Amino acid sequence: MQIEKYTVDELNHQQAEKHQRRFEGVASDINNLDEVLQKLSAFNIAIPSWALGTGGTRFGRFSGGGEPRSLEEKIEDVGVIHALNKSSNSISLHIPWDIPDNAAAIKALAAQNGLHFDAVNSNTFQDQKDQKLSYKFGSLHHVDKAVRKQAVEHNIEVIKYGKQLDSKALSVWLSDGSNFPGQLNFRQAFQNTLESLQEIYAALPDDWKVWVEYKPYEPNFYSTTIGDWGQSYLLSSKLGPKAQTLVDLGHHLQGTNIEQIVSLLLMEGKLAGFHFNDSKYGDDDLTVGSINPYQLFLIFNELVEGMDARGMDHATSIGWMIDASHNVKDPIEDLLQSVQAIKIAYAQALLVDKKALVAAQNNNDVALAQEVLQQAYRTDVRSLVSEASLRNGGALDPIGAYRKLQIRENLIKERGLKTVATGL
Ligand code: RM4
Ligand code: MN
Ligand code: MN
């Protein structure tokens, strides 16, 4: 489904006065307004191909209507998201859930929707139909060399698909681990993983990166072979400069100070990027910013500060992606909400008075440091995000526009009520 630009313009027109009033109220207090708007306009967040259908839990799956039935339809859905928010100009594919059979046609369709391809993701956490050896006891860390080889070859095949689509990164998440004490030799599991990743690394094109994702538990509940940022960092350091650590916000134990992890990985040039989501307990994959928007802001504060310290381009030097999966929301609405939440946190971080913060830190003025941070956090930046979207040709209110344009109703008409997208 293609969105006609004039329909978005019409909606924007109806809201123009109200928007202008709000925008001027906030804008008058911002010294570097143009810079903030430019940075917001340039900022894009990739959409994962597996988040466009209604996700399931291990108990059930309640599909919504009009879900994409093919990779082509997934690309069209991301096209809808991008047409509304002008901040989601790429899609990240999970292989083999979304194999591009005809890469040239898929690329052309993406380009037609203003999209390109972000990282490609391998999957050795499930057995596929007709697969020779099982991943029941792991993949890259497996005790059996033949299983490791099969998993390595899968990753190399994923790189091949990615090359056809002009992706520039392979994202690896392993469920490898153990459920019971004694099941695994930790050192052996780590060494096997390293060796397997080295083989994958050797197959990476020069201008590619491999992103090593970590997660503390689930589906294994005693140990995970790449369980935290230390283990991922160790692997990516041993692998070399093309390997970096990927931070998925839901992959931390409760109470972990994620912003501190981010700050140090960035300092070491080892932060690959993000899988954004939110969670209350674990890998809940909830809408970004729905549970703890303050944490999201604190992470962005470290990102902006750390990237500026290294002279990095905010928009392009690391990978920005959503990794969420919903079972009760319309997936497109959820993704639109997530992108908005990310842009809000980013805008707030751009408003932090850095000079004042550094001065407060150097004077051990703890109360003032908090005031400075919360001054930015408590600014209602939503009209700045709307203005950036407007200047890019998007909607002032993407979710409102999605509803007013009755996009889901149209997708249901087009695709039917009972469709199921591939993914989790
Ligand atoms: C995992 C992890 C990976 C994602 C899969 C679907 O928990 O977050 O990034 O590829 O889920
Ligand atoms: Mn993830
Ligand atoms: Mn996850």
Side-chain angles (χ1 to χ4, degrees):
M1 196 197 150
Q2 210 90 16
I3 294 185
E4 300 292 346
K5 174 130 181 3
Y6 78 90
T7 58
V8 172
D9 291 344
E10 233 169 70
L11 290 174
N12 286 343
H13 187 70
Q14 289 164 20
Q15 295 157 14
E17 236 175 81
K18 195 168 167 193
H19 164 68
Q20 202 54 34
R21 227 177 22 246
R22 287 183 177 171
F23 174 63
E24 278 162 16
V26 183
S28 57
D29 277 341
I30 302 174
N31 301 329
N32 54 344
L33 180 65
D34 281 341
E35 193 194 327
V36 169
L37 289 174
Q38 261 165 29
K39 286 185 172 155
L40 279 175
S41 296
F43 204 72
N44 275 274
I45 299 111
I47 303 294
S49 65
W50 60 100
L52 297 155
T54 315
T57 68
R58 67 199 170 100
F59 298 104
R61 185 171 184 162
F62 307 94
S63 295
E67 287 192 11
R69 295 160 297 183
S70 60
L71 176 53
E72 285 79 356
E73 291 185 350
K74 289 181 179 183
I75 290 171
E76 283 169 19
D77 281 9
V78 181
V80 164
I81 294 172
H82 187 51
L84 295 174
N85 68 14
K86 290 290 174 192
S87 299
S88 307
N89 67 4
S90 68
I91 176 165
S92 180
L93 300 191
H94 223 308
I95 309 290
W97 290 337
D98 290 296
I99 293 186
D101 290 320
N102 180 345
I106 287 292
K107 254 191 344 196
L109 178 66
Q112 216 181 302
N113 284 278
L115 309 175
H116 62 272
F117 291 89
D118 200 72
V120 275
N121 303 254
S122 58
N123 178 345
T124 59
F125 47 87
Q126 291 174 323
D127 284 348
Q128 306 300 328
K129 212 165 96 291
D130 305 327
Q131 182 179 305
K132 231 173 100 203
L133 302 166
S134 173
Y135 296 134
K136 178 172 179 182
F137 295 106
S139 57
L140 297 185
H141 88 170
H142 204 282
V143 289
D144 181 353
K145 170 100 182 145
V147 179
R148 302 204 294 274
K149 187 161 177 276
Q150 177 182 283
V152 166
E153 277 163 11
H154 165 70
N155 276 277
I156 293 174
E157 199 190 339
V158 174
I159 297 174
K160 183 195 86 189
Y161 286 124
K163 280 205 279 200
Q164 294 171 0
L165 298 172
D166 302 325
S167 278
K168 291 284 175 243
L170 167 72
S171 190
V172 179
W173 173 69
L174 304 177
S175 69
D176 296 17
S178 68
N179 261 317
F180 297 98
Q183 186 184 332
L184 263 190
N185 177 303
F186 297 138
R187 261 185 298 116
Q188 196 58 52
F190 183 89
Q191 292 298 347
N192 284 345
T193 306
L194 175 60
E195 215 180 275
S196 305
L197 283 172
Q198 279 164 338
E199 286 173 39
I200 296 165
Y201 190 92
L204 275 183
D206 287 345
D207 57 345
W208 272 54
K209 291 261 162 58
V210 56
W211 297 346
V212 182
E213 187 172 355
Y214 58 89
K215 177 171 171 173
Y217 70 92
E218 199 213 11
N220 279 291
F221 293 101
Y222 172 62
S223 74
T224 300
T225 298
I226 313 181
D228 63 19
W229 75 283
Q231 289 153 17
S232 167
Y233 177 76
L234 198 56
L235 286 165
S236 59
S237 300
K238 285 176 189 285
L239 285 168
K242 289 193 280 181
Q244 293 175 315
T245 294
L246 180 93
V247 177
D248 181 314
L249 296 188
H251 292 190
H252 301 87
L253 298 176
Q254 274 179 4
T256 300
N257 188 330
I258 304 174
E259 52 271 27
Q260 188 176 12
I261 296 172
V262 167
S263 162
L264 298 188
L265 283 174
L266 201 50
M267 176 180 81
E268 291 300 300
K270 279 294 190 187
L271 181 63
F274 282 86
H275 278 179
F276 288 110
N277 48 53
D278 209 343
S279 61
K280 190 157 175 64
Y281 303 105
D283 190 27
D284 306 344
D285 281 344
L286 300 178
T287 314
V288 184
S290 61
I291 303 284
N292 193 349
Y294 191 47
Q295 174 181 261
L296 187 65
F297 159 74
L298 294 174
I299 290 170
F300 265 99
N301 178 50
E302 293 303 331
L303 283 166
V304 167
E305 196 266 342
M307 287 195 285
D308 287 349
R310 293 175 65 94
M312 292 162 72
D313 182 323
H314 295 183
T316 56
S317 51
I318 69 172
W320 308 108
M321 203 183 100
I322 291 170
D323 184 6
S325 159
H326 290 274
N327 41 30
V328 292
K329 280 184 183 167
D330 175 328
I332 294 183
E333 291 194 356
D334 165 64
L335 289 161
L336 287 168
Q337 283 185 320
S338 283
V339 174
Q340 291 301 100
I342 292 168
K343 298 201 81 169
I344 288 170
Y346 178 44
Q348 289 165 333
L350 290 172
L351 297 190
V352 171
D353 184 342
K354 274 177 221 111
K355 268 202 200 127
L357 184 61
V358 170
Q361 288 168 343
N362 290 339
N363 290 324
N364 291 315
D365 192 339
V366 187
L368 185 59
Q370 179 183 323
E371 287 299 308
V372 171
L373 282 186
Q374 294 195 346
Q375 173 62 32
Y377 176 66
R378 293 191 165 132
T379 308
D380 184 354
V381 296
R382 288 174 298 177
S383 62
L384 298 181
V385 172
S386 296
E387 180 67 18
S389 175
L390 184 71
R391 291 187 187 187
N392 278 358
L396 281 170
D397 170 17
I399 297 154
Y402 175 78
R403 289 195 170 195
K404 289 201 185 99
L405 297 174
Q406 300 196 308
I407 293 171
R408 181 57 64 188
E409 289 79 352
N410 281 307
L411 288 174
I412 290 174
K413 259 187 227 146
E414 203 179 296
R415 300 171 181 168
L417 199 56
K418 292 223 166 335
T419 58
V420 180
T422 48
L424 277 179

